[in-house]
Amino acid sequence: MSSSLLLLSSRLLSPFREGRSLQPFRLLKQDFRNLRSRYVSDWTVFNQLVVASAVYVFFTNILPGSTFVSDLCVLTGQSWGTIEVVLSTGLCGLIFSVFSAQLLTIFGVTGPFSILAENRYKLCTENFHAEFLPVMAWSPIHSAWIHYLLAIFNAHDWTMGYVTSFSADIFSLLNSVIYFYKAAMELKRTHDNVPFDAFLYAIIGAFGSCFLAIFLATTLKWKPLFGRIVRTGLAEYAAAISIILWIGIPYIGELANLDHQRLAVQASFRPTNPNRNIFFVRFWEVPLPSIICTLDRYGTKKPGGYAWDIALLGTTTALCGILGILGIPPANGLLPQAPLHSESLRHWVHEPLPSDPDVTDTTITAAPRLVSRAYEQSYSACSQAALILVFVSPSLQRLLGLAPTSVLAGLFLSMGYESLSVNPILPRAAHMATPPSELPPLPTGVTWPSVHVYTALQIVMTGVIFGVKLTVAVPGFPIIIIILVPVRLLVMNRIWSRETLRFVDGWACREGRPEDEDITADGVELIPRYE
C-alpha cells in the first residue's frame, strides 16, 4: 500500500519538478532575466515614428474609450464615468509601460468589462442589496491571486503554445467587424438624438474623417510631391490630422448652428456619482459572505514575458481595487488596439539572406531581402498613457468634449480598415471571387478549393462569434475562440490535407507549424518555450 501511495504521489508531483511544465516560477524567473538584460534597450529607441505612434494610439484609445463611459455610467448607476475610466486607463497604462515585458501592450477599459459590471450591478441592487462599488472592489482583489497562480505555474506555456493563426486571424477579423459595427451604432445613436440635418452632417463627418485619414496615409507614394519630410509627416500623423480637422469643421460657418452630438465628459475632478465626494471606497465593510501583441508580420525580436505580464496585470488589477485611488474600474489589455500599435511602429529594413551551407563559392552574394520590423520600445506606450492620464484635468475634459461623435464613428471606420487591411483572410477571400485561370500557382498537394473552404470556415466562425456578442451570451464568446484551438489541431487535420494546412496556417506564438515533421516525436507534440 505504501509503495502504491509513493508511486501515485510521484506521478502527481512529476509535472511540478524542475524542468517540467508546472515547475513553480520557471517562466517568471526566465522572464525576469530577459527583462533585466534588455530593459535599458527598451528606452534607447526614440524617433519620429515612435512619436507618431504615441499620438495615433492616444486617439485610438481615449476616443473609443469614451463610448464605453456612457454605457458604463448608465449601467452602473453613475458609479463610473469619464474621470474613473481615464484615471484607470492612464494609471495602469503607465505602470505597464514601465514594468511590462511586452512593450507594445495597450491598456484600457473594454466593452466586455462593461457587460460584467452591468450584471454585477444588477446582482448587488436586486439580489444582494449591497453597495456596488465595495462589492466590485473585491473582484480585482480575487482576480489578482488567480493571475499570480497562472504566472507561477507557467500557464501560458501549456495554453498559448497550442494557438495557431487559424484562431488568431478569426479574432483579428472579429475586431475589424466590431469596429465597423461600433461606427454604425454611433451613427444610430446620433440619429436618435439630433435633428435630421445634424444627422446628415454626422454621416459626412464620419466618412470624411475616415477617408481623409486613409488618404493621408498614402502620402509616401506621392513622390516627388511636397518633399520627403512633408510626405512622411502627413503619413505618420494621418489619423491625428484628420481627427483634429474634423473636430474643428463643425464650428465653422452655418455648421456651427447645427445641433451636433458630442462626447459626454465631466467638468470637475470628483467621482461621477453625485453621492460620492471622494474616490476612496470602504471595501472592507461589505457584509459577509463577500462576492467573490507579437505576430510574425510585425517582425518583433525581443523575448516576450507572458508569465511576468500576467502577474503584473494581477497587480494593476488589485491596485484598481484596494490601493490609494479606489473606486475605479480595472483596465486590461486592449486586444484591438495592440495590433494597431504594432502596425503604427512597423517599418522595413534590408536584411541579408541566411547563408547557404551548400554554397562554397564566397564570391556569390545574394541581394538583401526587405523584411518587416517594429520599433520595440517603451516610449510610445508610456507617452500615450501619460497623455490620457492628464485628461483627468477638468479643463482637458472640456477639450475632449468638443469632439463630435461623428468623428468617433469615423475613427472606428478607419481603425476597422487598418485592422482588416493586414488580415491574411482578406486576400484569401478575394481569391474566392477570382476566376481560376487568374489564381496564382500553389505548392504541390495544395488546391484552391481546399483553401477556399478553409477561408470560408474562418469567415463563418467570425460571423458566429459576432452574433454571440450581440446577445446576452456575450461573456461566453471567448469560450468559442478557445474551442477553436483543439478543433484546429484534432479535427481539421482529418478534413484538410497536411500540405494545405501547412500552407494556410502556423503556430501563432512560436516558430513552425503543427504539420511540420520536426514538431512531433513518437506521436507526442513537443511544446518548447515560445518567445
Side-chain angles (χ1 to χ4, degrees):
M1 177 67 71
S2 60
S3 60
S4 299
L5 290 175
L6 288 174
L7 180 61
L8 178 61
S9 62
S10 177
R11 290 180 178 177
L12 291 176
L13 293 176
S14 61
F16 300 93
R17 291 173 181 165
E18 185 173 357
R20 304 302 296 271
S21 60
L22 296 179
Q23 178 194 343
F25 299 98
R26 176 171 59 86
L27 294 187
L28 275 175
K29 292 178 181 177
Q30 183 172 333
D31 290 343
F32 179 72
R33 288 194 298 267
N34 290 336
L35 180 62
R36 185 176 58 181
S37 65
R38 57 140 241 246
Y39 188 78
V40 174
S41 68
D42 295 344
W43 300 92
T44 56
V45 177
F46 186 82
N47 53 39
Q48 173 64 26
L49 189 59
V50 172
V51 176
S53 174
V55 173
Y56 173 66
V57 176
F58 165 75
F59 281 114
T60 59
N61 195 352
I62 193 169
L63 292 182
S66 301
T67 62
F68 298 126
V69 171
S70 57
D71 294 335
L72 206 57
C73 186
V74 172
L75 299 177
T76 61
Q78 294 186 308
S79 297
W80 290 321
T82 308
I83 289 290
E84 288 86 0
V85 169
V86 170
L87 194 56
S88 174
T89 300
L91 181 64
C92 295
L94 273 177
I95 294 173
F96 245 77
S97 66
V98 174
F99 299 105
S100 172
Q102 298 175 98
L103 306 176
L104 305 183
T105 303
I106 299 299
F107 263 62
V109 178
T110 62
F113 176 78
S114 299
I115 297 170
L116 172 66
E118 174 192 5
N119 294 330
R120 188 67 56 83
Y121 181 78
K122 288 182 179 178
L123 286 173
C124 290
T125 55
E126 299 176 6
N127 299 92
F128 302 130
H129 304 291
E131 289 188 47
F132 168 70
L133 284 179
V135 170
M136 198 65 196
W138 279 104
S139 291
I141 298 172
H142 290 296
S143 176
W145 65 261
I146 296 175
H147 281 78
Y148 293 145
L149 287 179
L150 291 173
I152 290 171
F153 292 103
N154 320 302
H156 288 79
D157 231 13
W158 38 271
T159 53
M160 294 296 292
Y162 292 96
V163 178
T164 71
S165 297
F166 172 75
S167 304
D169 291 342
I170 288 175
F171 191 77
S172 177
L173 181 59
L174 176 67
N175 288 332
S176 302
V177 174
I178 290 173
Y179 280 136
F180 294 129
Y181 175 76
K182 287 184 179 298
M185 290 298 99
E186 199 61 47
L187 289 175
K188 181 181 182 299
R189 277 193 289 265
T190 302
H191 176 268
D192 295 338
N193 296 324
V194 301
F196 189 67
D197 55 353
F199 170 66
L200 290 178
Y201 171 78
I203 296 177
I204 296 174
F207 285 94
S209 57
C210 171
F211 291 149
L212 180 60
I214 296 173
F215 177 68
L216 292 178
T218 66
T219 52
L220 290 176
K221 302 177 182 178
W222 292 5
K223 187 178 181 180
L225 193 64
F226 294 141
R228 182 182 62 84
I229 296 178
V230 175
R231 291 196 306 270
T232 301
L234 290 174
E236 293 178 352
Y237 292 94
I241 293 172
S242 179
I243 289 171
I244 294 173
L245 178 64
W246 284 93
I247 286 177
I249 287 177
Y251 294 92
I252 299 175
E254 294 184 5
L255 291 176
N257 298 325
L258 296 179
D259 185 14
H260 300 284
Q261 182 170 342
R262 295 185 169 87
L263 295 178
V265 296
Q266 292 172 238
S268 60
F269 185 73
R270 54 162 294 153
T272 301
N273 193 319
N275 297 323
R276 296 173 59 216
N277 295 318
I278 59 174
F279 287 100
F280 198 79
V281 174
R282 299 176 179 272
F283 64 94
W284 59 87
E285 294 182 357
V286 176
L288 294 178
S290 297
I291 311 301
I292 307 300
C293 290
T294 55
L295 296 177
D296 288 340
R297 63 173 173 262
Y298 301 128
T300 54
K301 291 298 183 182
K302 291 187 176 182
Y306 296 97
W308 176 268
D309 280 4
I310 200 68
L312 184 58
L313 178 60
T315 302
T316 56
T317 302
L319 176 68
C320 291
I322 64 174
L323 297 181
I325 305 172
L326 295 169
I328 61 176
N332 53 273
L334 295 175
L335 295 176
Q337 274 84 345
L340 296 177
H341 184 208
S342 301
E343 192 69 32
S344 67
L345 293 166
R346 193 180 183 189
H347 62 287
W348 298 88
V349 298
H350 287 91
E351 185 177 272
L353 291 172
S355 58
D356 189 346
D358 297 329
V359 177
T360 57
D361 189 351
T362 57
T363 62
I364 299 177
T365 57
R369 58 177 178 173
L370 200 61
V371 296
S372 174
R373 291 286 181 265
Y375 287 117
E376 299 178 70
Q377 38 67 50
S378 298
Y379 284 109
S380 55
C382 183
S383 300
Q384 68 88 27
L387 281 172
I388 290 176
L389 189 58
V390 299
F391 267 76
V392 298
S393 165
S395 57
L396 293 179
Q397 284 277 308
R398 295 188 185 95
L399 180 63
L400 185 63
L402 297 177
T405 56
S406 60
V407 173
L408 180 60
L411 179 61
F412 279 133
L413 289 173
S414 63
M415 291 166 66
Y417 167 81
E418 291 291 337
S419 176
L420 185 62
S421 64
V422 296
N423 193 313
I425 294 179
L426 182 62
R428 284 195 272 109
H431 286 149
M432 297 173 67
T434 303
S437 59
E438 301 294 330
L439 292 171
L442 293 173
T444 304
V446 184
T447 63
W448 276 114
S450 61
V451 173
H452 293 338
V453 174
Y454 176 92
T455 305
L457 177 63
Q458 288 186 301
I459 296 174
V460 169
M461 289 308 306
T462 303
V464 170
I465 298 171
F466 178 71
V468 171
K469 285 183 67 68
L470 300 181
T471 68
V472 294
V474 59
F477 88 90
I479 298 176
I480 302 178
I481 299 176
I482 293 173
I483 293 175
L484 291 178
V485 175
V487 167
R488 161 63 182 91
L489 297 176
L490 302 177
V491 177
M492 292 177 61
N493 57 2
R494 302 175 185 270
I495 302 174
W496 282 268
S497 68
R498 190 183 191 90
E499 293 76 16
T500 299
L501 292 177
R502 184 183 288 116
F503 175 71
V504 296
D505 199 14
W507 295 120
C509 299
R510 54 192 174 98
E511 298 293 332
R513 292 168 168 77
E515 285 68 36
D516 290 346
E517 288 79 9
D518 58 348
I519 293 297
T520 61
D522 299 327
V524 179
E525 191 171 29
L526 304 178
I527 304 295
R529 169 74 166 116
Y530 59 89
E531 303 297 344

